[in-house]
């Protein structure tokens, strides 16, 4: 019922992104109950033998539920990845919880390809939103990964629920989605990738969070997700106050929190990729610790220098 209630609040033509795992399958079942005839989008990355079969099974399950399945091909620009089998794992995200714009290896490339396929489906099918199966537990893992990287408030704010990608299950834990599948008689696909300790997110899930729960008490995942909600409100407010400028005098006059945001926003426009806190620190030195130093290197071969009182980039 909790999963159904989360879906019932949404309006417009909808699709569930479905990998066949418990979270996305529970989401698909709820969407079928609330909005029969809606779409199911199953992404097949083709990363390894068997991926087509996993995608076909997920599509068949969605069809049996009363959804209209579409299998999307989204091969990322690299060879097969032995650690990741089957259909695209829609319910997992990168460390920041959003789509990656560059770097990050095979996982990031798969996310870029996956979202490109979903973006195309949104346009083709005239969808108001694509529903993603990220849960409260996924949110807690994202916050812990951000803390481990020393990330700022935007990353610690976790995954967002914003059109066209909606995450109605962020307030629902993974045990609830498993129970919803069992109640509906659905057998989810368990992606071996989600148990592979080679991935930091899996280590957080299987090792770190259980230890923290044991030492600090139950409810830790929910507390971390609540922290993400609070930080998201703060980050949204600060982002709204941040001007778009490359003028050094204007940047220097900003409070530190806004200056860092302005530099990060500007830098990401120049290189078309996410930048790290180290990049932002180096750019900030061009503004408030200028002593004639050389240019700052950004991803994609972009160089940023201070010239005539402004920051200027050269590809």
């Amino acid at each position: 019922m909790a999963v159904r209630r989360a879906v019932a609040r949404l309006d417009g033509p909808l699709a569930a992104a479905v990998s066949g795992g418990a979270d996305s399958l529970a989401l698909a079942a709820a969407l079928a109950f609330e909005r029969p005839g809606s779409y199911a989008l199953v992404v097949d990355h083709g990363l390894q033998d068997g991926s087509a079969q996993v995608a076909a099974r997920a599509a068949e399950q969605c069809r049996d539920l009363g959804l209209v399945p579409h299998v999307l091909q989204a091969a990322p620009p690299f060879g097969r990845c032995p650690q990741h089998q089957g259909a695209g794992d829609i319910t997992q995200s990168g460390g920041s919880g959003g789509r990656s714009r560059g770097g990050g290896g095979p996982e990031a490339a798969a996310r870029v390809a996956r979202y490109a396929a979903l973006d195309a489906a949104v346009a083709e099918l005239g969808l108001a939103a694509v529903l993603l199966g990220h849960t409260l537990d996924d949110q807690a893992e994202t916050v812990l990964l951000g803390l481990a990287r020393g990330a700022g408030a935007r990353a610690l704010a976790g995954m967002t629920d914003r059109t066209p990608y909606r995450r109605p299950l962020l307030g629902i834990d993974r045990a609830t989605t498993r129970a919803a599948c069992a109640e509906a008689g659905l057998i989810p696909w368990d992606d071996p990738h989600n148990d592979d300790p080679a991935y930091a997110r899996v280590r957080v899930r299987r090792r770190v969070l259980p230890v923290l729960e044991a030492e600090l008490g139950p409810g830790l995942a929910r507390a971390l997700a609540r922290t993400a909600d609070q930080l998201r409100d703060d980050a949204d407010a600060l982002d709204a106050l941040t001007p778009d400028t490359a003028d050094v005098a204007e940047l220097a006059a900003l409070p530190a929190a806004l200056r860092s945001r302005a530099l990060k926003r500007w830098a990401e426009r120049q290189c078309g990729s996410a930048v790290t806190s180290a990049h932002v620190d180096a750019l900030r030195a061009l503004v408030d610790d200028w002593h004639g130093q050389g240019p700052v290197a950004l991803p994609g071969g972009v160089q940023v220098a201070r010239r005539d009182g402004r920051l200027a980039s050269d590809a």
Side-chain angles (χ1 to χ4, degrees):
M1 289 299 295
V3 181
R4 290 177 185 173
R5 285 195 298 270
V7 171
R9 298 192 299 264
L10 303 173
D11 297 319
L14 302 175
V18 183
S19 68
D23 300 336
S24 64
L25 203 56
L27 180 64
L31 180 61
F33 182 86
E34 296 291 338
R35 306 282 291 277
S38 294
Y39 296 103
L41 305 178
V42 182
V43 178
D44 177 13
H45 286 300
L47 296 180
Q48 197 169 32
D49 293 338
S51 68
Q53 287 80 6
V54 171
R57 179 173 180 264
E60 182 180 359
Q61 288 175 302
C62 291
R63 187 178 294 108
D64 291 343
L65 287 168
L67 299 176
V68 180
H70 287 256
V71 176
L72 311 177
Q73 303 298 322
F78 55 81
R80 293 185 172 194
C81 176
Q83 295 126 318
H84 190 31
Q85 303 180 15
D89 182 1
I90 301 297
T91 64
Q92 294 303 311
S93 68
S96 67
R99 70 180 76 185
S100 172
R101 285 172 291 177
E107 288 295 287
R111 281 196 301 277
V112 170
R114 178 162 64 247
Y115 276 108
L118 293 174
D119 286 344
V122 169
E124 178 185 350
L125 300 175
L127 299 173
V130 174
L131 311 185
L132 305 180
H134 299 111
T135 65
L136 181 147
D137 299 277
D138 295 312
Q139 188 76 300
E141 293 159 11
T142 297
V143 174
L144 277 182
L145 287 165
L147 285 169
R149 295 197 317 272
R154 175 53 67 192
L156 297 181
M159 294 175 282
T160 60
D161 178 27
R162 293 179 179 171
T163 302
Y165 294 100
R166 305 296 301 274
R167 294 176 167 90
L169 306 187
L170 284 181
I172 295 172
D173 62 26
R174 201 170 285 136
T176 300
T177 62
R178 283 272 176 189
C181 287
E183 182 181 347
L186 297 169
I187 300 175
W189 171 66
D190 290 318
D191 185 351
H193 167 274
N194 293 335
D195 286 314
D196 187 345
Y199 296 95
R201 181 175 288 270
V202 174
R203 296 194 297 274
V204 166
R205 178 179 307 160
R206 302 297 184 196
R207 302 174 185 174
V208 178
L209 269 171
V211 169
L212 291 176
E213 289 264 2
E215 296 297 328
L216 300 178
L220 178 65
R222 191 165 296 277
L224 288 168
R226 188 165 59 248
T227 297
D229 290 340
Q230 295 165 351
L231 283 172
R232 192 177 310 114
D233 289 341
D234 292 347
D236 288 345
L238 289 171
D239 285 348
L241 295 171
T242 301
D244 291 320
T245 181
D247 184 271
V248 169
E250 292 177 5
L251 288 165
L254 293 173
L258 300 187
R259 186 185 314 130
S260 294
R261 278 172 166 75
L263 288 168
K264 180 176 174 63
R265 181 185 297 174
W266 180 84
E268 290 180 344
R269 284 203 307 272
Q270 307 311 304
C271 65
S273 175
V275 300
T276 68
S277 58
H279 292 123
V280 175
D281 288 344
L283 293 172
R284 191 166 56 231
L286 294 180
V287 174
D288 53 27
D289 188 25
W290 171 248
H291 48 270
Q293 63 264 42
V296 173
L298 298 181
V302 174
Q303 300 282 323
V304 176
R306 175 169 166 163
R307 289 197 292 266
D308 300 323
R310 296 183 62 83
L311 299 183
S313 65
D314 298 310

